[in-house]
Amino acid sequence: MSEYLVLVAPSSNRVYADAAPRLAAAEIETVLAAFGSTPDVAPIDLAGVDYLTISASGDEVVPALSNLSATFALFEREGELLRPIPLQRRQFYPSDLVTIQKYQGKTNEQWTRLLLNVTAAATKRPSKWLDGGLDVMDPMCGRGTTLNIALLAGYSVTGVDVDRKDYDTYAAFLKTWVQAHRLKHTMDRGASTTGGRARGREFTLEVAPTKDAFKTGDTQTVRYLSTDTTDLGGLVRAASIDVIVTDTPYGVQHGSHGDRLSRRPLELLDRAMPAWIRTLRTGGTVGLSYNRHVAPAENLALMLEQHGLIVVTDWRDSPFRHRVDASIDRDLIVARKES
């Protein structure tokens, strides 16, 4: 058993900064449990600096701690000394891929990364989170925060959103970003059709961190579909996705064309879930970030179970629940496809 200390990254968001240590502790316990470890996690003050101390053993501990959403620095404690440990972080591209976009309503990047980590660790093969073998989908992706975080970590990712403005904005951003960083890539844009029926628009970016990697085919793919998230048949291959993660909506922008789903996200999720589950591999997981004010936890858990998923996080006493503002009581829930 070794003792590690995590220095939590500072956050410019005051509310999230206050919650980050507690959320990081919950993330540590959840992720390491997926690898068969039962860590002891606690806050500690050393020389006026706040850390999280983790007592754990196993080959996956250092890689897992390195890739936590809030890890800024990692140390191993040896008596009264702290030995810095090089982070084994999965970061294949410059970090401004995630940080450069600023717009109203953008989800906190640490929270999005936490949601992806916890959801990926809950699959039947959590090792794919660390070895880069994940295929990720955000079926309500907006302007692409999840897509950028997945790409940064070296995963291939699919995004879906019916909002044409978000689609155009993200396509322009990504094209400009890869060109500015002189990354070898190809990008194709066009209409989505199946059986002669127009289904919206899409683009596919294939990119690699180096020219040599691109030449050998060691690439990542970002695919964005501007279409109805409740109807993905023929657009996203069945059983091709390991992890589905998304921020559930508070408005109507992700609903079906011509359909007013008012402001009840559970109705949208109930309609979309069959299309999403169809794309998911057996043993894959769905992770939802949601607002308890508009989607009661017990109703959301019941809905997921009614669609044949097994809820694997504790929604009754969730360690991830935190207040964003007076109107948002944010939490996450993860469910797995067993068959």
Side-chain angles (χ1 to χ4, degrees):
M1 186 78 69
S2 299
E3 184 178 6
Y4 302 94
L5 273 75
V6 167
L7 182 61
V8 175
S11 175
S12 59
N13 182 310
R14 180 189 59 80
V15 173
Y16 196 84
D18 291 342
R22 175 175 60 82
L23 295 175
E27 183 183 4
I28 291 167
E29 292 172 347
T30 303
V31 167
L32 291 185
F35 291 98
S37 179
T38 306
D40 291 325
V41 184
I44 189 173
D45 180 305
L46 293 178
V49 178
D50 293 325
Y51 299 86
L52 288 174
T53 178
I54 304 102
S55 295
S57 59
D59 294 338
E60 298 86 2
V61 172
V62 170
L65 295 180
S66 297
N67 286 283
L68 295 177
S69 63
T71 297
F72 184 73
L74 179 62
F75 305 88
E76 186 171 11
R77 190 172 187 177
E78 300 174 346
E80 296 300 315
L81 300 178
L82 300 184
R83 181 174 64 86
I85 298 178
L87 293 178
Q88 299 178 27
R89 182 167 284 158
R90 293 192 57 82
Q91 181 170 323
F92 288 77
Y93 298 95
S95 61
D96 65 351
L97 172 63
V98 172
T99 60
I100 197 171
Q101 284 183 295
K102 304 293 182 185
Y103 54 88
Q104 186 176 7
K106 181 182 179 181
T107 304
N108 180 284
E109 294 117 3
Q110 285 186 13
W111 175 252
T112 302
R113 194 186 303 271
L114 182 151
L115 176 65
L116 176 58
N117 289 349
V118 169
T119 308
T123 68
K124 284 294 188 181
R125 294 182 59 193
S127 60
K128 295 178 75 172
W129 169 55
L130 296 177
D131 67 20
L134 288 178
D135 288 295
V136 178
M137 182 170 78
D138 183 345
M140 296 185 290
C141 65
R143 296 190 187 181
T145 299
T146 301
L147 310 189
N148 291 340
I149 287 173
L151 177 60
L152 189 71
Y155 310 131
S156 288
V157 61
T158 299
V160 183
D161 204 295
V162 75
D163 191 307
R164 180 62 183 271
K165 183 178 179 180
D166 282 348
Y167 167 83
D168 287 336
T169 300
Y170 183 67
F173 161 75
L174 200 58
K175 181 69 173 178
T176 300
W177 185 86
V178 295
Q179 290 177 337
H181 287 280
R182 301 181 182 274
L183 296 172
K184 186 71 174 177
H185 68 281
T186 59
M187 189 171 185
D188 298 316
R189 298 184 65 171
S192 295
T193 59
T194 55
R197 179 167 68 102
R199 305 285 297 280
R201 300 190 62 79
E202 67 175 276
F203 74 78
T204 300
L205 172 81
E206 185 178 7
V207 64
T210 67
K211 291 181 179 180
D212 287 342
F214 192 89
K215 186 181 298 184
T216 60
D218 186 11
T219 61
Q220 286 76 46
T221 300
V222 178
R223 186 181 182 219
Y224 193 128
L225 300 165
S226 180
T227 192
D228 182 353
T229 193
T230 70
D231 180 19
L232 300 179
L235 295 176
V236 182
R237 187 162 48 88
S240 63
I241 301 296
D242 299 294
V243 170
I244 295 173
V245 289
T246 198
D247 248 343
T248 59
Y250 308 138
V252 299
Q253 67 267 34
H254 297 296
S256 304
H257 295 286
D259 185 4
R260 295 194 64 81
L261 288 167
S262 71
R263 297 186 182 274
R264 296 185 291 274
L266 283 173
E267 292 184 9
L268 170 57
L269 292 172
D270 190 40
R271 291 186 54 186
M273 203 55 62
W276 297 0
I277 293 173
R278 177 184 169 276
T279 70
L280 203 60
R281 294 187 173 105
T282 298
T285 45
V286 177
L288 306 176
S289 170
Y290 69 102
N291 181 3
R292 281 175 171 251
H293 288 319
V294 295
E298 61 272 23
N299 295 353
L300 183 55
L302 178 60
M303 185 272 294
L304 292 169
E305 290 170 349
Q306 287 174 337
H307 284 283
L309 300 175
I310 306 298
V311 176
V312 297
T313 49
D314 183 359
W315 54 267
R316 292 179 179 85
D317 188 22
S318 172
F320 297 105
R321 183 178 182 179
H322 64 286
R323 178 185 180 276
V324 177
D325 57 36
S327 63
I328 302 177
D329 179 12
R330 189 161 60 185
D331 203 350
L332 66 79
I333 190 169
V334 178
R336 187 164 55 230
K337 180 180 180 179
E338 298 287 2
S339 62

